[in-house]
Amino acid sequence: MNIENIITVIDIWSSKIRTIIWCFDESLNNNMKILGLWISDSNAIRKWNILDMEEFKSNLDKSLEEAERMSWEQVSWAFISFNSSSFEVISNKWIIAVSGEEVTFDDVERVLDMTKNWVNLPNREVLKVIPDTFWVDFEEWIKSPIWMSARKLEVKANIFTVWSNILNNIKKSVEDVWIEIYDVFPNLISSPEWVLTKRQKELWVVCIDIWASTTWVTVYEEWVLKFSSLIPIWWDSVTSDIALWVRTSIDVAEKLKLEYAELNLAKKENYNDSEIDISKINDSEEWSVSRLFLSKIVNARYEEILFFVKEELKKAWKDWMLPEWAIFVWWGSKMKWFNELAKEILKLPVAIWVPIENDYIWTTSISDPSFAWVVWTFIVSNKYRDTRWKIVFNFWWILSSITKVLKKLLP
């Protein structure tokens, strides 16, 4: 297969590293075809700080190696997507004089560059600049001003920044395993841009990502991001609660959460409670826990998360007033009876997004809410591909291939 047709995305979380190798298949009308996928544990990151560089690189290398083995392809470059509690979204305006009689792509790039260049960002680095709206002379609320006649161009943009040390450590770790970084995307905008339809983004809609270490809330209207916020309560908090109240280990608590926990059991009429034998999960722990008690533990934490989501929507003046749905992604939304609890607290229609369209997969599946970011990164990676990189890719492919062979031969 032509190497320029191979695209690799590495999605870095605080608990997992996902590597997906894919291509556009002409036999499938140029739809995406996944060649290889691997999920490895990320034990060296906590709250988006790398605690051990060597262990993190080892986890990263394992994810890459297994994905390469599944796809029979050599990875030499990749797109990186990640999230961080240090992300910050800054809104800024700028105005320029149009170079000619019509607005060109160069004019748009120039005004966006000026927008980020005149913002004071000590110890922070700009990841992306996303335009909110344009003004062309006296015309307002322009979405795309390309080829419009104008003398001046003004833009209001959202600038996504992150702490420089966090971004530099991630880049260094990826480059140390001989992978060239093509581009870096913040997951804050990855899932909403792909998950939400044009119709939903035209009206008010909220996308909620319940992460392992953070919860993100993003609100869209008129096709642009209007509000973004981070909530310091997360999916792993549920595991900690179970471990504390059941008096068990984190590993057992995680299995109880994933395999046995349900929401709203206390509100079900004529519910017959039963016991969960923990010895079936871990031989060294010989006791049981009530399903109703487990449900109350999980329910309390989920109610807290959804309560703070509602409080954040109040800041945007859109609590219970969104004409479109509240869209949930990631594992935190997979809890049984989650939809019912979310509808009750948010007073909104609720949907859980699952990537089920255009999936051509070998031996595995990505039909899971946690793949929302990486699927969107696939789409934008093809959109922003640049032909000038082809020679660089071929060079890095040869160099990384030789290096990996030598590393395996050396003792």
Side-chain angles (χ1 to χ4, degrees), residues 268-306:
K268 292 188 176 181
E269 297 181 1
N270 302 322
Y271 174 73
N272 295 322
D273 195 14
S274 60
E275 297 290 319
I276 303 170
D277 189 358
I278 297 182
S279 64
K280 294 181 179 179
I281 302 174
N282 189 345
D283 295 336
S284 62
E285 301 184 24
E286 298 182 355
W287 62 81
S288 61
V289 60
S290 163
R291 287 182 181 270
L292 184 59
F293 179 63
L294 179 63
S295 175
K296 289 180 179 179
I297 297 171
V298 176
N299 218 83
R301 181 62 73 175
Y302 267 91
E303 286 180 354
E304 183 183 21
I305 293 174
L306 293 171

Side-chain angles (χ1 to χ4, degrees), residues 15-202:
S15 58
K16 302 288 181 182
I17 297 176
R18 299 181 181 234
T19 300
I20 299 184
I21 303 172
W22 76 304
C23 70
F24 283 103
D25 196 325
E26 295 180 359
S27 64
L28 299 173
N29 297 321
N30 285 326
N31 285 325
M32 64 181 186
K33 178 179 180 181
I34 293 182
L35 304 178
L37 178 150
W38 193 261
I39 305 171
S40 66
D41 291 331
S42 180
N43 301 319
I45 298 182
R46 286 296 176 269
K47 297 183 180 179
W48 302 107
N49 291 321
I50 298 179
L51 307 180
D52 189 330
M53 288 286 285
E54 291 301 321
E55 185 178 0
F56 175 67
K57 287 189 286 187
S58 176
N59 296 334
L60 184 64
D61 194 41
K62 179 182 178 182
S63 181
L64 284 164
E65 185 177 352
E66 295 296 336
E68 288 175 338
R69 184 179 292 120
M70 183 182 296
S71 64
W72 291 82
E73 297 290 343
Q74 180 69 61
V75 174
S76 57
W77 63 275
F79 292 91
I80 306 298
S81 63
F82 78 103
N83 212 343
S84 173
S85 57
S86 68
F87 277 155
E88 185 177 348
V89 184
I90 303 171
S91 181
N92 194 28
K93 290 182 179 181
W94 200 259
I95 185 171
I96 63 169
V98 177
S99 55
E101 295 181 355
E102 296 178 341
V103 179
T104 64
F105 289 101
D106 291 337
D107 293 322
V108 173
E109 291 181 4
R110 185 157 52 94
V111 72
L112 290 176
D113 285 337
M114 295 299 292
T115 303
K116 67 180 180 181
N117 289 340
W118 290 91
V119 176
N120 186 21
L121 300 171
N123 301 322
R124 301 187 72 86
E125 189 164 338
V126 176
L127 276 180
K128 293 294 172 188
V129 180
I130 307 297
D132 186 332
T133 185
F134 291 94
W135 286 265
V136 177
D137 288 343
F138 299 104
E139 296 183 52
E140 299 181 354
W141 308 109
I142 304 297
K143 299 303 175 184
S144 179
I146 302 298
W147 309 128
M148 290 186 178
S149 299
R151 290 187 176 183
K152 61 181 180 180
L153 177 65
E154 185 177 358
V155 67
K156 178 183 177 184
N158 295 307
I159 304 170
F160 293 82
T161 68
V162 65
W163 287 117
S164 299
N165 63 319
I166 293 178
L167 182 61
N168 292 336
N169 286 334
I170 290 177
K171 285 183 174 180
K172 184 180 185 301
S173 300
V174 175
E175 291 169 355
D176 284 349
V177 295
W178 295 94
I179 298 297
E180 179 74 4
I181 298 175
Y182 187 92
D183 204 352
V184 180
F185 297 96
N187 281 335
L188 171 62
I189 60 173
S190 296
S191 53
E193 285 292 335
W194 171 242
V195 169
L196 304 178
T197 65
K198 288 185 178 180
R199 179 60 176 170
Q200 288 173 331
K201 285 190 286 188
E202 180 183 5

Side-chain angles (χ1 to χ4, degrees), residues 348-362:
L348 292 170
V350 173
I352 299 175
W353 185 83
V354 179
I356 57 176
E357 296 182 358
N358 296 333
D359 293 348
Y360 301 92
I361 307 163
W362 289 4

